[in-house]
Structures are given as C-alpha cells and as structure tokens.
Amino acid sequence: MSSPHPYARELGGFLRARRTRLRPRDVGLEPGGRRKVTGLRREELALLAGLSTDYYQRIEQGRDVRPSDDVLAALAGALGLGDEERRHLFTLGRAARRPAPGPVRREPERVPESTRRLLRVTDTPAVVLGRHLDLLDWNPMAEALLGDPDGYPPDRLNMLLLLFDDARTGRRGCPDWERQALDYIGMMRAAVATDPTHPRATAIVGELSIRSAEFRRLWARHDIRESVCGTKTFRVPEVGDIVLDWDTYPLPGNPGPVMLVFTAEPDSADADRLRLLASLHEGRKGASLAGTL
C-alpha cells in the first residue's frame, strides 16, 4: 500500500482536530445517549456538510480523495472555521488534489546583508527567524533579553527547540509560556502546510514529539498562525518582569524568513527595565572584553 499523500495526511489531521473540538450542541444537534468519542462523530459532521459518511471518512484518513472547492467550503461551514483556518483548509485541500510532490530543491535560507545592518542599528530586541523558526540572526538587545545564543550548536538554535528545553526555560520563566508555545507551533504548522516533507520540519517535530508530552498535546491541536503578534512577559532576574509587544515582519523571499521585533510602551516602566537590561548587558560585555586584552 502506498504511503498517504503528504498534504492529504495534513488535511485529515486538521479536520479531525477541528471535529473533535465541536460538541453536538455547538451545531444544533442533540447529544443523544452516552458518546464514545470526544466531539462530533464523523457521520454527524458529514451530515452537516452534506457529504456521505464514507467519503468524509476517506478525507479524514488521508486516503485517495481530491475534495473540490465546494466540498472544502461545505466542511469549513460545518466546522465554523474562521478566516485563517478556512485559508489553511483550502491550502491543504487544493494541494492534496495535485500529484504527490517528487524531489524538491530547497535553497538554504539566507539573511540579506541589508537586514543584518538593520538589526545592528535597531535599539530594541529583534531576531530573524527562518520558516521553521531557526534563529538566523539577532541583535545585541535580543541577546540581552533572550540570552547569548553562541553557546548552542547551530542546529539547536531554533525557537521551538529552545522553548521546550527544560534547562533553559527553568532559568528564564514565562508566565504565558503555553500561549507563546502555541504561537510558535502555529507558525510551524503554517510552514508545514506549504511543504509537509521538508526535512528540517520533520526533524524538529519528530524530536519534540518523542521527548515532550506537552509538545505532542499542543501539536495535535493543529492550530495555525499566518501572521503573529502579541504580548509577552519576560521574567528576567536582573531587572524583574518586562512586558513587551512583539510583531513579525516578512523579509524578501517566498516563503522567506521573518523579523521578530519586541517593543515596549514608550515612557513605561517596561521601557525603563529594558534600557537597564541593555546597560547591564553592555557592562558585562565590556568587562569580558577588558579581560581578554
């Protein structure tokens, strides 16, 4: 038996995750007696979407099906998907209609020199992330906030791997850790939707799935993030908690890296703490340099 089409497999997993989140009462159905499954049954969702149960089951199992746009629209409506989730569903469904991809030539990710210069003159923490959340470059303010990445092998400089590194997260706590993890996982899910067999994604997801039950739980949600922004609290022992807004900005390329920038509310206590942290970091660097002369 041939292996499932990679996009059909992703499509099935996404539909299954969304189906199990719904309850019969959410869609106007009576729950009936004791239920053996979490969420809607397959036949209930098929009924709501106007599909046969067998056909829907084959879609969810990633078998040889090529759902039309009308079928995808019916499923999106039955599941009550938002705009971002609907786009994700159509991305996977349309890709599943095409022949399974053969060998793909993947160019290494590069940071434009102009972007590196921009990082150096930016006076707020900023990093460049690859499509699979590899840390490609950073500025001194990011080093002050996040820690010095130079002690890690290049293949370990990945935001998901670092986030689930118990030794590291134990040193720098974060009260909204799960929300941050879901944002990064959602970005990875969006990247996987464009290239499910990419070896870097396979390696990262495979490693974390083996060693982290928490990652397996969050990854199984099939949440996606197309563009990400939010607020994050950094628990930094030297200066106390710092609350920063963060936004991502795409760089040239399709798909290309993104710049992730952290900013503090002007004239706030968080801005003062960030400046103090930068000053302390610069002082430590100066002391280290003096020790080498």
Side-chain angles (χ1 to χ4, degrees), residues 211-228:
R211 68 176 172 86
S212 172
E214 191 73 358
F215 176 83
R216 291 196 299 273
R217 179 180 69 84
L218 298 177
W219 183 252
R221 290 167 57 103
H222 276 263
D223 287 343
I224 51 106
R225 302 283 191 275
E226 292 176 349
S227 57
V228 182

PDB file of all heavy atoms in Angstrom, residues 211-228:
ATOM      1  N   ARG A 211      10.278  13.475  22.793  1.00  0.00           N
ATOM      2  CA  ARG A 211      10.746  13.784  24.149  1.00  0.00           C
ATOM      3  C   ARG A 211       9.834  14.697  24.957  1.00  0.00           C
ATOM      4  O   ARG A 211      10.096  14.933  26.134  1.00  0.00           O
ATOM      5  CB  ARG A 211      12.149  14.386  24.090  1.00  0.00           C
ATOM      6  CG  ARG A 211      12.293  15.749  23.465  1.00  0.00           C
ATOM      7  CD  ARG A 211      13.748  16.205  23.594  1.00  0.00           C
ATOM      8  NE  ARG A 211      14.067  17.426  22.879  1.00  0.00           N
ATOM      9  CZ  ARG A 211      13.881  18.644  23.391  1.00  0.00           C
ATOM     10  NH1 ARG A 211      13.376  18.795  24.592  1.00  0.00           N
ATOM     11  NH2 ARG A 211      14.207  19.708  22.679  1.00  0.00           N
ATOM     12  N   SER A 212       8.737  15.194  24.368  1.00  0.00           N
ATOM     13  CA  SER A 212       7.891  16.118  25.123  1.00  0.00           C
ATOM     14  C   SER A 212       6.418  15.781  24.959  1.00  0.00           C
ATOM     15  O   SER A 212       5.852  15.979  23.882  1.00  0.00           O
ATOM     16  CB  SER A 212       8.144  17.570  24.676  1.00  0.00           C
ATOM     17  OG  SER A 212       7.206  18.442  25.259  1.00  0.00           O
ATOM     18  N   ALA A 213       5.807  15.315  26.031  1.00  0.00           N
ATOM     19  CA  ALA A 213       4.365  15.071  26.007  1.00  0.00           C
ATOM     20  C   ALA A 213       3.596  16.377  25.830  1.00  0.00           C
ATOM     21  O   ALA A 213       2.534  16.406  25.201  1.00  0.00           O
ATOM     22  CB  ALA A 213       3.937  14.374  27.297  1.00  0.00           C
ATOM     23  N   GLU A 214       4.140  17.459  26.389  1.00  0.00           N
ATOM     24  CA  GLU A 214       3.482  18.762  26.259  1.00  0.00           C
ATOM     25  C   GLU A 214       3.461  19.209  24.799  1.00  0.00           C
ATOM     26  O   GLU A 214       2.451  19.720  24.305  1.00  0.00           O
ATOM     27  CB  GLU A 214       4.205  19.802  27.120  1.00  0.00           C
ATOM     28  CG  GLU A 214       3.480  21.108  27.270  1.00  0.00           C
ATOM     29  CD  GLU A 214       2.263  21.018  28.171  1.00  0.00           C
ATOM     30  OE1 GLU A 214       1.938  19.924  28.662  1.00  0.00           O
ATOM     31  OE2 GLU A 214       1.615  22.049  28.376  1.00  0.00           O
ATOM     32  N   PHE A 215       4.576  19.005  24.098  1.00  0.00           N
ATOM     33  CA  PHE A 215       4.589  19.354  22.672  1.00  0.00           C
ATOM     34  C   PHE A 215       3.593  18.507  21.904  1.00  0.00           C
ATOM     35  O   PHE A 215       2.867  19.016  21.051  1.00  0.00           O
ATOM     36  CB  PHE A 215       5.994  19.164  22.085  1.00  0.00           C
ATOM     37  CG  PHE A 215       6.040  19.417  20.594  1.00  0.00           C
ATOM     38  CD1 PHE A 215       6.150  20.709  20.108  1.00  0.00           C
ATOM     39  CD2 PHE A 215       5.940  18.362  19.691  1.00  0.00           C
ATOM     40  CE1 PHE A 215       6.168  20.952  18.742  1.00  0.00           C
ATOM     41  CE2 PHE A 215       5.954  18.598  18.328  1.00  0.00           C
ATOM     42  CZ  PHE A 215       6.067  19.896  17.848  1.00  0.00           C
ATOM     43  N   ARG A 216       3.550  17.205  22.171  1.00  0.00           N
ATOM     44  CA  ARG A 216       2.602  16.342  21.452  1.00  0.00           C
ATOM     45  C   ARG A 216       1.172  16.829  21.644  1.00  0.00           C
ATOM     46  O   ARG A 216       0.384  16.839  20.696  1.00  0.00           O
ATOM     47  CB  ARG A 216       2.740  14.896  21.942  1.00  0.00           C
ATOM     48  CG  ARG A 216       4.039  14.224  21.556  1.00  0.00           C
ATOM     49  CD  ARG A 216       3.967  12.715  21.724  1.00  0.00           C
ATOM     50  NE  ARG A 216       3.699  12.312  23.103  1.00  0.00           N
ATOM     51  CZ  ARG A 216       4.643  12.133  24.023  1.00  0.00           C
ATOM     52  NH1 ARG A 216       5.919  12.349  23.719  1.00  0.00           N
ATOM     53  NH2 ARG A 216       4.334  11.738  25.246  1.00  0.00           N
ATOM     54  N   ARG A 217       0.845  17.241  22.855  1.00  0.00           N
ATOM     55  CA  ARG A 217      -0.512  17.714  23.125  1.00  0.00           C
ATOM     56  C   ARG A 217      -0.827  18.977  22.326  1.00  0.00           C
ATOM     57  O   ARG A 217      -1.887  19.093  21.703  1.00  0.00           O
ATOM     58  CB  ARG A 217      -0.670  17.992  24.626  1.00  0.00           C
ATOM     59  CG  ARG A 217      -2.033  18.523  25.031  1.00  0.00           C
ATOM     60  CD  ARG A 217      -2.117  18.771  26.532  1.00  0.00           C
ATOM     61  NE  ARG A 217      -1.290  19.869  26.976  1.00  0.00           N
ATOM     62  CZ  ARG A 217      -1.672  21.161  26.924  1.00  0.00           C
ATOM     63  NH1 ARG A 217      -2.857  21.477  26.426  1.00  0.00           N
ATOM     64  NH2 ARG A 217      -0.869  22.103  27.364  1.00  0.00           N
ATOM     65  N   LEU A 218       0.108  19.928  22.321  1.00  0.00           N
ATOM     66  CA  LEU A 218      -0.142  21.193  21.638  1.00  0.00           C
ATOM     67  C   LEU A 218      -0.078  21.041  20.118  1.00  0.00           C
ATOM     68  O   LEU A 218      -0.848  21.671  19.391  1.00  0.00           O
ATOM     69  CB  LEU A 218       0.875  22.243  22.113  1.00  0.00           C
ATOM     70  CG  LEU A 218       0.819  22.582  23.608  1.00  0.00           C
ATOM     71  CD1 LEU A 218       1.913  23.576  23.970  1.00  0.00           C
ATOM     72  CD2 LEU A 218      -0.548  23.116  24.000  1.00  0.00           C
ATOM     73  N   TRP A 219       0.823  20.193  19.634  1.00  0.00           N
ATOM     74  CA  TRP A 219       0.935  19.969  18.192  1.00  0.00           C
ATOM     75  C   TRP A 219      -0.343  19.318  17.643  1.00  0.00           C
ATOM     76  O   TRP A 219      -0.785  19.628  16.541  1.00  0.00           O
ATOM     77  CB  TRP A 219       2.152  19.096  17.907  1.00  0.00           C
ATOM     78  CG  TRP A 219       2.419  18.847  16.442  1.00  0.00           C
ATOM     79  CD1 TRP A 219       2.242  17.683  15.768  1.00  0.00           C
ATOM     80  CD2 TRP A 219       2.939  19.789  15.496  1.00  0.00           C
ATOM     81  NE1 TRP A 219       2.607  17.830  14.453  1.00  0.00           N
ATOM     82  CE2 TRP A 219       3.046  19.114  14.255  1.00  0.00           C
ATOM     83  CE3 TRP A 219       3.317  21.121  15.558  1.00  0.00           C
ATOM     84  CZ2 TRP A 219       3.507  19.741  13.091  1.00  0.00           C
ATOM     85  CZ3 TRP A 219       3.783  21.757  14.407  1.00  0.00           C
ATOM     86  CH2 TRP A 219       3.873  21.061  13.205  1.00  0.00           C
ATOM     87  N   ALA A 220      -0.947  18.444  18.418  1.00  0.00           N
ATOM     88  CA  ALA A 220      -2.159  17.743  17.986  1.00  0.00           C
ATOM     89  C   ALA A 220      -3.356  18.678  17.837  1.00  0.00           C
ATOM     90  O   ALA A 220      -4.360  18.303  17.219  1.00  0.00           O
ATOM     91  CB  ALA A 220      -2.497  16.623  18.963  1.00  0.00           C
ATOM     92  N   ARG A 221      -3.268  19.879  18.363  1.00  0.00           N
ATOM     93  CA  ARG A 221      -4.364  20.840  18.218  1.00  0.00           C
ATOM     94  C   ARG A 221      -4.514  21.338  16.779  1.00  0.00           C
ATOM     95  O   ARG A 221      -5.562  21.851  16.397  1.00  0.00           O
ATOM     96  CB  ARG A 221      -4.138  22.040  19.144  1.00  0.00           C
ATOM     97  CG  ARG A 221      -4.297  21.736  20.625  1.00  0.00           C
ATOM     98  CD  ARG A 221      -3.759  22.882  21.462  1.00  0.00           C
ATOM     99  NE  ARG A 221      -4.408  24.145  21.147  1.00  0.00           N
ATOM    100  CZ  ARG A 221      -5.351  24.712  21.908  1.00  0.00           C
ATOM    101  NH1 ARG A 221      -5.730  24.126  23.027  1.00  0.00           N
ATOM    102  NH2 ARG A 221      -5.876  25.870  21.568  1.00  0.00           N
ATOM    103  N   HIS A 222      -3.441  21.234  15.976  1.00  0.00           N
ATOM    104  CA  HIS A 222      -3.458  21.704  14.587  1.00  0.00           C
ATOM    105  C   HIS A 222      -3.811  23.190  14.500  1.00  0.00           C
ATOM    106  O   HIS A 222      -4.472  23.636  13.562  1.00  0.00           O
ATOM    107  CB  HIS A 222      -4.432  20.885  13.739  1.00  0.00           C
ATOM    108  CG  HIS A 222      -3.848  19.612  13.220  1.00  0.00           C
ATOM    109  ND1 HIS A 222      -3.326  19.482  11.954  1.00  0.00           N
ATOM    110  CD2 HIS A 222      -3.679  18.406  13.817  1.00  0.00           C
ATOM    111  CE1 HIS A 222      -2.890  18.244  11.786  1.00  0.00           C
ATOM    112  NE2 HIS A 222      -3.091  17.577  12.910  1.00  0.00           N
ATOM    113  N   ASP A 223      -3.366  23.980  15.487  1.00  0.00           N
ATOM    114  CA  ASP A 223      -3.532  25.427  15.400  1.00  0.00           C
ATOM    115  C   ASP A 223      -2.537  25.976  14.398  1.00  0.00           C
ATOM    116  O   ASP A 223      -1.408  25.469  14.278  1.00  0.00           O
ATOM    117  CB  ASP A 223      -3.289  26.081  16.758  1.00  0.00           C
ATOM    118  CG  ASP A 223      -4.426  25.818  17.738  1.00  0.00           C
ATOM    119  OD1 ASP A 223      -5.511  25.428  17.279  1.00  0.00           O
ATOM    120  OD2 ASP A 223      -4.221  25.995  18.951  1.00  0.00           O
ATOM    121  N   ILE A 224      -2.936  27.025  13.683  1.00  0.00           N
ATOM    122  CA  ILE A 224      -2.020  27.647  12.715  1.00  0.00           C
ATOM    123  C   ILE A 224      -1.996  29.155  12.953  1.00  0.00           C
ATOM    124  O   ILE A 224      -2.944  29.744  13.461  1.00  0.00           O
ATOM    125  CB  ILE A 224      -2.415  27.325  11.252  1.00  0.00           C
ATOM    126  CG1 ILE A 224      -3.904  27.637  11.001  1.00  0.00           C
ATOM    127  CG2 ILE A 224      -2.118  25.882  10.929  1.00  0.00           C
ATOM    128  CD1 ILE A 224      -4.109  28.865  10.208  1.00  0.00           C
ATOM    129  N   ARG A 225      -0.865  29.766  12.610  1.00  0.00           N
ATOM    130  CA  ARG A 225      -0.709  31.217  12.694  1.00  0.00           C
ATOM    131  C   ARG A 225      -0.089  31.682  11.375  1.00  0.00           C
ATOM    132  O   ARG A 225       1.021  31.279  11.029  1.00  0.00           O
ATOM    133  CB  ARG A 225       0.214  31.616  13.853  1.00  0.00           C
ATOM    134  CG  ARG A 225      -0.229  31.136  15.227  1.00  0.00           C
ATOM    135  CD  ARG A 225      -1.363  31.959  15.777  1.00  0.00           C
ATOM    136  NE  ARG A 225      -1.597  31.661  17.173  1.00  0.00           N
ATOM    137  CZ  ARG A 225      -2.358  30.655  17.618  1.00  0.00           C
ATOM    138  NH1 ARG A 225      -2.952  29.843  16.761  1.00  0.00           N
ATOM    139  NH2 ARG A 225      -2.524  30.454  18.919  1.00  0.00           N
ATOM    140  N   GLU A 226      -0.808  32.532  10.652  1.00  0.00           N
ATOM    141  CA  GLU A 226      -0.252  33.063   9.408  1.00  0.00           C
ATOM    142  C   GLU A 226       0.671  34.246   9.697  1.00  0.00           C
ATOM    143  O   GLU A 226       1.784  34.334   9.213  1.00  0.00           O
ATOM    144  CB  GLU A 226      -1.384  33.498   8.480  1.00  0.00           C
ATOM    145  CG  GLU A 226      -2.218  32.336   7.940  1.00  0.00           C
ATOM    146  CD  GLU A 226      -3.373  32.806   7.105  1.00  0.00           C
ATOM    147  OE1 GLU A 226      -3.652  34.023   7.105  1.00  0.00           O
ATOM    148  OE2 GLU A 226      -4.015  31.970   6.455  1.00  0.00           O
ATOM    149  N   SER A 227       0.166  35.207  10.432  1.00  0.00           N
ATOM    150  CA  SER A 227       0.979  36.341  10.863  1.00  0.00           C
ATOM    151  C   SER A 227       0.778  36.478  12.357  1.00  0.00           C
ATOM    152  O   SER A 227      -0.338  36.358  12.858  1.00  0.00           O
ATOM    153  CB  SER A 227       0.553  37.625  10.140  1.00  0.00           C
ATOM    154  OG  SER A 227      -0.822  37.887  10.367  1.00  0.00           O
ATOM    155  N   VAL A 228       1.844  36.711  13.061  1.00  0.00           N
ATOM    156  CA  VAL A 228       1.793  36.602  14.511  1.00  0.00           C
ATOM    157  C   VAL A 228       2.208  37.921  15.158  1.00  0.00           C
ATOM    158  O   VAL A 228       3.178  38.561  14.751  1.00  0.00           O
ATOM    159  CB  VAL A 228       2.715  35.474  15.005  1.00  0.00           C
ATOM    160  CG1 VAL A 228       2.627  35.339  16.510  1.00  0.00           C
ATOM    161  CG2 VAL A 228       2.328  34.162  14.345  1.00  0.00           C
TER     162      VAL A 228
END
